Amino acid sequence: MPLDESLLFVSLNIAVLTVSDTRTAATDRSGDTLVDRLTAAGHTLAARSIARDEVPVLVAQLNNWIDDAGIDVIITTGGTGVTGRDVTPEALDQVAEKLIPGFGELFRWLSFQTIGTSTIQSRACAGVARGTYIFCLPGSTGAVKDGWDGILASQLDSRHRPCNFADLIPRLQER
């Protein structure tokens, strides 16, 4: 779908959370990939952190950023698989007011074109919590590229038509 170049681009404040028991700032290639892509698109990196695969730790970090008025979007990378330590979707379930099931479905459809049936092991997911979008991507750089390039780059661009997530931010807390 096209961008309407007659519209003004609105830069969003995006936080990046890498979920891993082993990655460090020096080895966080997926987080680096997300930061590179979101800043190249014109958005602002509002915060960045690495957290262990533990639900209470993830919930605390997510809640901290959700409550920060300077953060519009949180993107996580890692912890969406099916092993015992993969708990990012469980953490999202504890903070989200609404889930966005189509995000995971579209991610897996795009990923299938890259990695085939191995995409079935991904529990990529998304939701909205107190006016903040949360998108949970797998931890590989390929998955981050698929998620950003195939979905988030356009949906977080206020010029994307016929609709986008960015335009809805002021309305997320309507009652």
Side-chain angles (χ1 to χ4, degrees):
M1 292 290 147
L3 294 180
D4 183 343
E5 299 293 345
S6 70
L7 297 173
L8 181 66
F9 174 79
V10 176
S11 177
L12 300 177
N13 297 317
I14 302 175
V16 173
L17 178 62
T18 299
V19 180
S20 175
D21 290 335
T22 59
R23 292 190 189 167
T24 66
T27 62
D28 183 16
R29 291 184 23 233
S30 295
D32 291 342
T33 299
L34 270 174
V35 170
D36 291 346
R37 278 173 156 66
L38 73 89
T39 56
H43 298 293
T44 301
L45 178 65
R48 183 174 179 184
S49 187
I50 298 173
R52 294 182 56 79
D53 292 277
E54 296 175 10
V55 172
V57 171
L58 299 177
V59 167
Q61 181 63 72
L62 291 173
N63 277 322
N64 185 32
W65 284 349
I66 292 163
D67 291 336
D68 184 334
I71 295 175
D72 302 308
V73 177
I74 300 166
I75 305 173
T76 72
T77 173
T80 62
V82 296
T83 71
R85 297 289 296 159
D86 292 321
V87 295
T88 303
E90 288 74 19
L92 176 66
D93 285 344
Q94 289 193 23
V95 300
E97 298 165 332
K98 291 185 178 186
L99 297 177
I100 307 171
F103 177 81
E105 294 162 0
L106 180 55
F107 173 83
R108 283 180 285 281
W109 179 79
L110 290 168
S111 179
F112 178 78
Q113 297 171 45
T114 307
I115 64 169
T117 60
S118 293
T119 193
I120 198 74
Q121 295 182 27
S122 166
R123 296 187 302 143
C125 52
V128 179
R130 300 187 305 278
T132 302
Y133 286 114
I134 306 166
F135 300 99
C136 305
L137 296 170
S140 73
T141 56
V144 164
K145 290 174 185 176
D146 287 346
W148 180 267
D149 298 346
I151 307 170
L152 295 175
S154 59
Q155 279 298 299
L156 297 179
D157 190 322
S158 57
R159 302 167 298 171
H160 180 76
R161 293 296 170 248
C163 57
N164 61 73
F165 284 132
D167 284 348
L168 298 177
I169 289 174
R171 298 179 52 210
L172 292 178
Q173 296 191 69
E174 289 178 345
R175 297 285 174 229

